[in-house]
């Protein structure tokens, strides 16, 4: 918000919010760091963010409104789509024939105001509010799924006859089966699944709480509340999903895993189901896997430049190990499948051992582990090696035995692809050593290590921006911006005369019909560590992950953060999105 610094200074001193002595220090720091007084007050903990907004409201002469626990008419609230409200912290709370009152955290957000004005055709009256009010209003958007699919779900919910059971008593399998096959619950589950596919969700969470059943979708890596159902339908929905997944209906004390498949609009989608007993019932998480999600290229996944060349060089080797690392849901398996697709020629025999098989691929022998019957990664891999494979993909290296077998396979004439759960590429080396793999075996087998995360992609329409001096200085503390600029020039993305001050970045443009929050889909940011002779020497000498990382950077590796800034500069994502993902 544009507040004259002199006005702010006078008001804070007159109101006695901060002592004169403290305020002298605040002014000095603001001048040294070329930043605003309000930011320094917040950073030093001299004032709370919501109190500072009240000060701004008073200076600007804008009404301050509190919406905490206030019921807003849903017809008014829904005038602003939820993604816009959530991303711009703006909610509609009152209207008459000519005006719409909106509560905001930043009344200078002219893009958001302009979008709402065009959408509703009314005069917009901005009001300042606090974060608690915005949070309270956003919770009321849980009705949005009901608004869209409400008639089906509400009617079906009312039609479900819940079976009352005493404490400690369990419904019989016949009762559960009858509940699960009733038309109302079939409609509810079917609607939730189809809506998740439409929303391009990657996961559905069904969470029983004390008095209600919460449904949430993970979309582009972020969980969103989808809707709240009555607690009484919990058992019916759980039973329905168990029937689809071929799980035991009357087992409510132990976790269960299963999967099922549906086809909608010509699209086949597999659901990987995990059911876990919790205090208030059974929590269900379903991972959506679209079977036609193949045909990726390394370039479309976000690989480029020297990193891309390193990967191509590694997959052209006949032996060795290629590792992808990162947390759950960072796209490791998709990267491996893309590599397998490149390697899948009639001249080679490719075998995989996975948990579970996520995508079916032609001419590749895919095996799923079954720990419940003793068929684990390690004994599955032992059998695979006897199947005369040229290339082996191990879904995940989880234990010492699997690590040892994968390393031996790479030593004995196989190309091995696998994943590890580490935060960085360099961190894979000590992790394998923890699994009792000798350093001399590592340097003989590991060719390249890919670490990755997923960031949300910007839509086609976006706003251009350049970085302020203070932003450049702040980023330089965490990332080598000069190096990123050099790579952009080497790859011909920007002109050779471009400077950091003139380098174009982008912000999301909200309010588009097909892309309301400005983002759609995700892409990888990577660091690709080539195990060079120097790094082999460091591994043999027992160097730490930090030392290996430093050497890899010296040899030209872009860190994940630097690759994220590169992708922000080419307009694929935003700096804010990269910061969100890298700092998680």
């Amino acid at each position: 918000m544009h507040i004259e610094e002199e006005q702010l200074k006078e008001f804070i001193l007159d109101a006695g919010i901060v002592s004169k002595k403290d305020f002298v220090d605040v002014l000095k720091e603001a001048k040294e760091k070329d930043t605003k007084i309000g930011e320094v007050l917040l950073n030093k903990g001299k004032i709370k963010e919501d109190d500072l907004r009240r000060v701004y409201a008073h200076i600007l002469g804008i009404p301050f409104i509190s919406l905490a626990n206030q019921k807003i008419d849903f017809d008014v609230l829904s005038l602003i789509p939820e993604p816009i409200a959530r991303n711009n912290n703006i909610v509609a709370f009152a209207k008459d024939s000519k005006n719409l009152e909106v509560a905001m955290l930043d009344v200078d957000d002219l893009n958001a105001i302009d979008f709402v004005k065009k959408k509703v055709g009314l005069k917009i009256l901005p009001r300042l509010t606090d974060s608690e009010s915005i949070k309270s209003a956003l919770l009321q958007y849980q009705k949005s799924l009901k608004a869209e699919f409400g008639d089906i779900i509400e009617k079906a919910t009312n039609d479900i006859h819940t079976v009352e059971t005493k404490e400690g008593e369990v419904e019989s399998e016949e009762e559960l089966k009858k509940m699960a096959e009733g038309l109302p619950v079939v409609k509810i589950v079917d609607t939730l699944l189809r809506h998740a596919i439409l929303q391009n969700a990657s996961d559905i969470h069904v969470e029983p709480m004390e008095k209600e059943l919460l449904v949430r979708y993970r979309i582009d890596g972020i969980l969103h509340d989808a809707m709240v159902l009555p607690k009484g339908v919990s058992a019916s929905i759980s039973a329905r999903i168990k029937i689809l997944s071929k799980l035991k209906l009357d087992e409510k004390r132990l976790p269960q895993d299963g999967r099922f498949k549906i086809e909608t609009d010509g699209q086949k989608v597999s659901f990987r189901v995990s059911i876990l007993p919790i205090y208030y019932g059974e929590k269900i998480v379903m991972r959506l896997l679209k079977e036609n999600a193949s045909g990726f290229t390394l370039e479309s996944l976000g690989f480029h430049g020297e990193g891309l060349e390193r990967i191509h060089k590694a997959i052209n080797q006949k032996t060795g190990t290629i590792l992808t690392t990162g947390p759950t849901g960072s796209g490791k398996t998709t990267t491996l499948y893309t590599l397998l697709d490149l390697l899948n020629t009639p001249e080679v025999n490719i075998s995989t051992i996975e948990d579970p098989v996520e995508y079916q691929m032609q001419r590749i022998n895919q095996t799923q582990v079954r720990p419940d019957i003793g068929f684990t990664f390690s004994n599955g891999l032992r059998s695979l090696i006897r199947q005369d494979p040229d290339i082996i993909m191990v879904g995940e290296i989880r234990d010492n035995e699997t690590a040892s077998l994968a390393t031996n396979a790479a030593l004995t004439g196989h190309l091995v692809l696998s994943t590890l759960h580490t935060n960085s590429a360099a961190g894979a080396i000590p992790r394998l050593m923890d699994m009792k793999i000798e350093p001399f075996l590592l340097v003989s087998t590991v060719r390249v290590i890919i670490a990755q995360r997923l960031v949300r992609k910007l839509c086609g329409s976006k706003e251009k921006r350049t970085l302020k001096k203070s932003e450049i200085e702040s980023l330089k503390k965490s990332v080598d911006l000069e190096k990123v600029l050099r790579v952009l020039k080497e790859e011909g993305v920007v002109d050779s005369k471009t400077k950091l001050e003139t380098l174009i970045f982008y912000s999301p443009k909200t309010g588009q019909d097909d892309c309301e929050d400005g983002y759609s889909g995700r892409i990888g940011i990577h660091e690709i560590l080539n195990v060079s002779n120097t790094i082999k020497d460091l591994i043999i000498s027992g160097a730490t992950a930090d030392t290996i990382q430093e050497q890899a950077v010296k040899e030209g590796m872009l860190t994940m953060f630097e690759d994220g800034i590169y992708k922000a500069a080419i307009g694929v994502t935003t700096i804010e999105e990269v910061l969100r993902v890298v700092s998680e």
Side-chain angles (χ1 to χ4, degrees):
M1 274 168 282
H2 182 68
I3 303 282
E4 292 294 334
E5 296 286 271
E6 282 302 317
Q7 282 182 292
L8 183 60
K9 205 188 312 180
E10 284 174 26
F11 185 88
I12 287 173
L13 288 172
D14 288 346
I17 294 169
V18 178
S19 69
K20 288 186 179 179
K21 182 182 177 299
D22 284 345
F23 203 64
V24 170
D25 294 337
V26 168
L27 289 173
K28 186 180 174 186
E29 188 172 326
K31 193 174 182 181
E32 284 174 359
K33 293 187 176 178
D34 187 26
T35 189
K36 292 182 178 179
I37 294 169
E39 286 179 31
V40 179
L41 285 167
L42 288 174
N43 292 337
K44 293 177 85 68
K46 299 295 181 187
I47 192 170
K48 290 180 180 176
E49 193 171 353
D50 289 338
D51 292 334
L52 184 62
R53 284 200 187 92
R54 288 175 188 270
V55 170
Y56 286 164
H58 189 88
I59 294 171
L60 292 167
I62 292 172
F64 188 94
I65 187 86
S66 175
L67 299 173
N69 303 316
Q70 182 179 319
K71 185 85 171 67
I72 302 170
D73 183 339
F74 190 67
D75 289 340
V76 175
L77 184 72
S78 58
L79 287 171
I80 300 176
E82 184 187 4
I84 302 299
R86 195 175 290 279
N87 284 285
N88 294 280
N89 291 307
I90 176 172
V91 290
F93 66 92
K95 91 180 253 292
D96 57 31
S97 58
K98 293 181 180 177
N99 305 307
L100 179 68
E101 289 188 79
V102 297
M104 308 177 71
L105 295 183
D106 180 6
V107 291
D108 284 348
D109 190 347
L110 301 179
N111 285 338
I113 293 171
D114 190 48
F115 166 73
V116 175
K117 185 178 179 181
K118 285 177 184 172
K119 189 175 187 299
V120 299
L122 297 169
K123 184 180 178 183
I124 306 302
L125 304 176
R127 308 289 186 239
L128 264 172
T129 191
D130 54 31
S131 50
E132 195 58 41
S133 293
I134 293 289
K135 189 177 175 184
S136 172
L138 289 175
L139 283 172
Q140 295 181 46
Y141 273 102
Q142 288 177 358
K143 292 183 180 178
S144 62
L145 180 56
K146 266 191 182 173
E148 194 170 345
F149 287 82
D151 290 342
I152 300 170
I153 287 184
E154 203 168 325
K155 186 176 184 306
T157 302
N158 294 333
D159 289 345
I160 290 177
H161 302 292
T162 55
V163 179
E164 293 293 328
T165 56
K166 294 175 185 174
E167 195 173 340
E169 193 179 312
V170 181
E171 299 98 331
S172 69
E173 190 170 355
E174 290 77 20
E175 286 172 334
L176 287 166
K177 194 171 182 184
K178 192 176 177 183
M179 287 160 60
E181 291 176 347
L183 193 60
V185 75
V186 170
K187 277 187 177 178
I188 290 176
V189 173
D190 189 51
T191 304
L192 288 175
L193 298 181
R194 289 176 189 279
H195 189 260
I197 295 166
L198 270 176
Q199 296 275 72
N200 209 21
S202 61
D203 301 85
I204 304 170
H205 290 236
V206 182
E207 304 172 22
M209 304 175 87
E210 186 179 7
K211 295 178 180 175
E212 57 199 17
L213 185 70
L214 176 64
V215 179
R216 299 197 285 171
Y217 293 157
R218 188 177 293 281
I219 302 167
D220 291 339
I222 297 171
L223 270 174
H224 300 274
D225 289 356
M227 75 174 303
V228 173
L229 294 170
K231 181 68 185 289
V233 304
S234 180
S236 303
I237 287 175
S238 175
R240 176 65 189 160
I241 291 168
K242 284 179 180 176
I243 279 187
L244 289 171
S245 312
K246 297 182 174 60
L247 299 175
K248 293 179 182 175
L249 283 175
D250 54 351
E251 180 55 82
K252 296 191 174 185
R253 299 164 302 164
L254 294 172
Q256 295 192 73
D257 295 316
R259 60 190 301 152
F260 64 92
K261 190 186 295 185
I262 69 169
E263 188 168 347
T264 175
D265 300 326
Q267 186 177 38
K268 288 181 182 175
V269 182
S270 289
F271 290 82
R272 194 170 82 208
V273 180
S274 170
I275 299 179
L276 181 72
I278 61 171
Y279 188 75
Y280 291 116
E282 292 178 294
K283 177 175 177 181
I284 302 166
V285 177
M286 291 176 275
R287 166 68 56 91
L288 282 72
L289 302 164
K290 293 180 181 175
E291 292 194 0
N292 58 354
S294 57
F296 290 116
T297 63
L298 289 173
E299 289 82 358
S300 70
L301 296 182
F303 293 99
H304 62 93
E306 191 178 341
L308 183 61
E309 287 174 20
R310 288 175 173 183
I311 294 171
H312 277 297
K313 186 179 176 184
I315 63 174
N316 285 328
Q317 304 287 314
K318 298 294 181 188
T319 64
T321 306
I322 297 169
L323 295 171
T324 62
T325 73
T328 302
S330 60
K332 301 186 298 294
T333 307
T334 302
T335 299
L336 286 189
Y337 276 119
T338 305
L339 294 176
L340 286 181
D341 204 27
L342 290 170
L343 292 164
N344 191 8
T345 62
E347 296 81 35
V348 292
N349 175 23
I350 302 177
S351 295
T352 74
I353 179 88
E354 305 171 58
D355 182 22
V357 173
E358 294 194 7
Y359 306 116
Q360 281 80 46
M361 298 188 76
Q362 295 294 320
R363 299 179 66 94
I364 291 181
N365 311 292
Q366 296 172 269
T367 308
Q368 183 163 320
V369 300
R370 292 281 305 277
D372 53 325
I373 57 170
F375 184 40
T376 60
F377 272 117
S378 53
N379 55 28
L381 183 52
R382 206 176 279 111
S383 300
L384 272 193
I385 292 167
R386 293 195 287 269
Q387 289 273 312
D388 185 34
D390 299 293
I391 297 160
I392 298 169
M393 192 261 265
V394 184
E396 185 185 340
I397 295 177
R398 293 179 182 171
D399 52 52
N400 299 5
E401 194 176 1
T402 308
S404 176
L405 285 164
T407 304
N408 285 330
L411 279 170
T412 54
H414 305 89
L415 183 63
V416 178
L417 285 69
S418 192
T419 71
L420 268 177
H421 282 283
T422 63
N423 289 327
S424 66
I429 301 297
R431 179 84 181 95
L432 287 168
M433 287 183 183
D434 287 344
M435 292 180 174
K436 306 290 185 282
I437 304 300
E438 295 292 343
F440 70 89
L441 292 176
L442 284 178
V443 299
S444 303
T445 54
V446 181
R447 303 278 181 243
V448 76
I449 305 169
I450 304 161
Q452 63 185 74
R453 300 285 189 283
L454 294 175
V455 293
R456 291 183 295 166
K457 290 196 298 183
L458 282 166
C459 297
S461 297
K462 50 207 169 196
E463 310 277 355
K464 289 185 178 180
R465 58 172 287 218
T466 53
L467 295 180
K468 298 175 188 169
K469 187 180 177 184
S470 57
E471 289 176 311
I472 291 172
E473 293 306 314
S474 177
L475 275 173
K476 277 184 175 177
K477 292 174 186 174
S478 310
V479 67
D480 187 344
L481 289 178
E482 297 292 348
K483 179 182 171 186
V484 175
L485 183 58
R486 189 171 66 248
V487 172
L488 286 164
K489 288 176 181 178
E490 285 170 0
E491 294 186 18
V493 177
V494 298
D495 187 82
S496 59
K497 294 176 184 175
T498 305
K499 295 180 180 178
L500 287 174
E501 293 77 12
T502 59
L503 186 58
I504 301 293
F505 288 91
Y506 298 85
S507 299
K509 187 175 182 180
T510 56
Q512 302 167 65
D513 290 340
D514 58 340
C515 189
E516 288 183 338
D517 63 353
Y519 294 99
S520 179
R522 290 189 289 174
I523 195 168
I525 56 173
H526 311 91
E527 55 188 35
I528 296 132
L529 190 153
N530 181 47
V531 183
S532 64
N533 289 332
T534 322
I535 288 174
K536 285 178 181 178
D537 292 340
L538 289 174
I539 294 169
I540 292 290
S541 64
T544 63
D546 288 342
T547 308
I548 294 169
Q549 176 91 354
E550 283 171 24
Q551 181 58 34
V553 168
K554 282 180 190 172
E555 293 177 6
M557 181 183 83
L558 276 180
T559 65
M560 216 177 311
F561 200 165
E562 287 164 354
D563 191 42
I565 300 297
Y566 170 94
K567 289 187 171 73
I570 63 174
V572 173
T573 189
T574 62
I575 292 174
E576 292 76 15
E577 178 67 8
V578 174
L579 285 165
R580 179 187 72 81
V581 170
V582 172
S583 60
E584 277 181 349

